[in-house]
Amino acid sequence: MQRPDFFTLHNGEKAKLPFSNGEYENRLSALRKTMATQDVEAVIFTSMHNIAYYSGFLYCAFGRPYACVVTQDKSVTISANIDLGQPWRRSFDENVIYTDWRRDNYIRAVQSIVGNAKRIGVEFDHLNLEMHGKFKAAFDGASIVDVAPAVMTLRMVKSAEEIVLIKEGARIADHGGEAIRSAIKEGAREIDVAMAGRDAMELEISRSHPDSEVRDSWVWFQSGINTDGAHNPVTTRKLEQGDILSLNTFPMISAYYTALERTLFLGEPDARSLQVWQANVEAHELGLSLIKPGSKCSEIVAEINDLFASHDLLQCRTFGYGHSFGVLSHYYGREAGLELREDIDTVLEPGMVVSIEPMLTIPEGQAGAGGYREHDILVVGEDSAENITKFPYGPEHNIC
């Protein structure tokens, strides 16, 4: 039997992707202009976020490499035979399937699209050393250059279609938050409350986005000491009266991430907890007022830092005050150039989407111990910013 190194297979019909053909064409056109400016003949994307951004296909690696190869006249996803026709159905353009009957058939499939290009773009922040070495050997004599920062810049400004999807995500995050708040009671486990929120979001995604792949939505619901870190996993701890709680919903629609995060208490908080919570709400509201076109990320941070310092709480801050949204999640993707940190001088412009999410953590054993965090999403417009998060925040609303 003759076993091919790679092949094409159009199994079934193309699926409905999250965006229009025109949206993907616009993205590829902008990328090709950047490639021409940098004299790059071909780009080999290997990350989940960039492959999804340019093709609509979100892969499941399970130890196997994937790619989206873009030249001035082609856009082709490279996928493993284990997935057969699904990557083609979910790809905007073409797809090549590589087999595992011979080592490095993935490289051969990529070569078949890249051809004799002499300057090839890759993502240095994703490509590991082993694969970088294989690319260098396969494209002997070609220059391998980093296009990740330039591509990240292209992703930071959202299209009208992206903003529609992100607003839907914010709505569904609020929907999950309501389910979580309804499930909070003394004796309930963190995992029980988290499942209520996740199930509510996945059911709503299935109802309102029936053509999407339903995958990857999650909830972090934390209580007591488990609130001290923003990304602490859910446990089986049972809720007790007086607990500080952290509600975090993350619906994923076609690889697009949105989030809702809120501080709550089960029963009345003590005086110090209430004081810290109100200070964090004050910082949150200040941040909301500062998000507008023309604002610089580092300057927003400086103002919030000054506020926390006035409350003698700056030392309790745990991370920057917000970040971009788009094709990303907790295990892939990031737009580090649009984060609210001291070392980021990006100026906000229309089409950018950012969060405001100040967090304070008081260590165990001190008055007011726990992690306090509020999180809203804002779409930057021509003159101001629209807050697309509707779930209420603060002590007036979130004492259960």
Side-chain angles (χ1 to χ4, degrees):
M1 175 183 177
Q2 183 66 34
R3 294 177 168 179
D5 294 337
F6 54 87
F7 61 98
T8 60
L9 176 65
H10 298 173
N11 194 39
E13 302 295 328
K14 284 283 193 180
K16 183 178 179 181
L17 297 180
F19 302 106
S20 68
N21 287 351
E23 172 76 10
Y24 290 108
E25 288 165 355
N26 288 341
R27 294 178 184 187
L28 289 165
S29 176
L31 172 64
R32 285 167 174 146
K33 288 178 183 176
T34 298
M35 291 166 60
T37 299
Q38 298 187 356
D39 194 27
V40 170
E41 299 168 69
V43 170
I44 307 169
F45 291 119
T46 53
S47 68
M48 294 179 78
H49 48 283
N50 275 325
I51 292 175
Y53 186 79
Y54 286 105
S55 74
F57 167 55
L58 186 69
Y59 67 74
C60 175
F62 235 115
R64 296 175 175 88
Y66 287 73
C68 178
V69 180
V70 180
T71 67
Q72 286 297 336
D73 58 359
K74 292 181 181 178
S75 172
V76 185
T77 52
I78 309 293
S79 60
N81 196 21
I82 194 170
D83 299 323
L84 206 70
Q86 185 262 1
W88 175 77
R89 293 193 298 273
R90 288 281 170 182
S91 293
F92 163 66
D93 210 340
E94 282 302 315
N95 169 257
V96 169
I97 301 168
Y98 72 91
T99 68
D100 60 4
W101 293 323
R102 191 158 67 115
R103 186 174 295 278
D104 288 334
N105 279 345
Y106 166 79
I107 298 293
R108 296 180 184 92
V110 171
Q111 281 178 306
S112 73
I113 309 303
V114 173
N116 297 318
K118 295 302 180 185
R119 188 169 165 84
I120 301 168
V122 298
E123 302 166 80
F124 279 7
D125 61 357
H126 184 268
L127 199 65
N128 61 38
L129 284 172
E130 179 185 23
M131 191 59 70
H132 184 265
K134 288 184 176 182
F135 281 169
K136 286 192 72 173
F139 303 108
D140 187 29
S143 298
I144 307 292
V145 301
D146 186 20
V147 297
V151 172
M152 177 189 67
T153 300
L154 293 175
R155 295 199 318 270
M156 287 191 328
V157 177
K158 312 305 174 188
S159 69
E161 289 190 28
E162 285 182 286
I163 289 171
V164 168
L165 187 61
I166 290 168
K167 286 182 176 182
E168 264 292 274
R171 178 186 69 81
I172 293 170
D174 288 347
H175 181 76
E178 294 291 349
I180 285 174
R181 187 159 57 183
S182 297
I184 292 172
K185 62 182 179 180
E186 186 175 6
R189 300 176 303 172
E190 288 181 5
I191 183 61
D192 298 322
V193 179
M195 286 192 295
R198 183 204 63 205
D199 289 353
M201 292 191 299
E202 290 193 334
L203 287 170
E204 181 58 19
I205 291 170
S206 301
R207 184 195 69 80
S208 54
H209 297 270
D211 296 310
S212 66
E213 295 176 315
V214 183
R215 56 185 287 188
D216 301 333
S217 295
W218 85 103
V219 166
W220 284 322
F221 179 76
Q222 302 136 343
S223 64
I225 194 172
N226 200 31
T227 63
D228 65 345
H231 299 165
N232 293 353
V234 174
T235 74
T236 58
R237 182 184 183 276
K238 293 183 178 180
L239 307 190
E240 302 174 0
Q241 279 294 319
D243 273 349
I244 185 172
L245 309 172
S246 186
L247 173 163
N248 311 267
T249 62
F250 307 99
M252 296 289 292
I253 309 172
S254 300
Y256 270 70
Y257 164 97
T258 47
L260 165 71
E261 301 172 13
R262 289 288 184 261
T263 300
L264 308 94
F265 271 82
L266 182 55
E268 288 293 328
D270 61 74
R272 178 55 176 166
S273 295
L274 188 60
Q275 184 183 43
V276 176
W277 191 4
Q278 289 172 329
N280 201 57
V281 166
E282 186 181 350
H284 183 63
E285 291 177 339
L286 173 61
L288 293 175
S289 73
L290 296 172
I291 300 297
K292 55 191 175 217
S295 294
K296 185 182 291 186
C297 291
S298 56
E299 292 175 353
I300 294 170
V301 171
E303 289 201 42
I304 302 175
N305 280 348
D306 287 345
L307 174 62
F308 275 148
S310 73
H311 288 288
D312 193 25
L313 288 169
L314 183 56
Q315 69 278 9
C316 301
R317 188 192 108 176
T318 58
F319 59 90
Y321 297 125
H323 57 79
S324 183
F325 284 83
V327 183
L328 55 97
S329 84
H330 59 314
Y331 57 89
Y332 65 85
R334 187 176 180 183
E335 293 171 5
L338 188 49
E339 296 190 0
L340 300 182
R341 299 197 322 245
E342 287 86 347
D343 59 338
I344 303 295
D345 292 324
T346 301
V347 175
L348 300 183
E349 59 182 274
M352 290 180 171
V353 182
V354 295
S355 62
I356 282 291
E357 50 178 307
M359 179 174 179
L360 297 170
T361 297
I362 309 297
E364 194 75 2
Q366 297 183 21
Y372 302 76
R373 185 165 75 261
E374 313 295 344
H375 178 296
D376 286 16
I377 303 172
L378 296 99
V379 177
V380 181
E382 294 296 330
D383 304 307
S384 59
E386 178 188 0
N387 188 342
I388 61 174
T389 298
K390 306 305 179 184
F391 194 98
Y393 59 82
E396 297 81 7
H397 304 284
N398 290 327
I399 297 175
C400 302

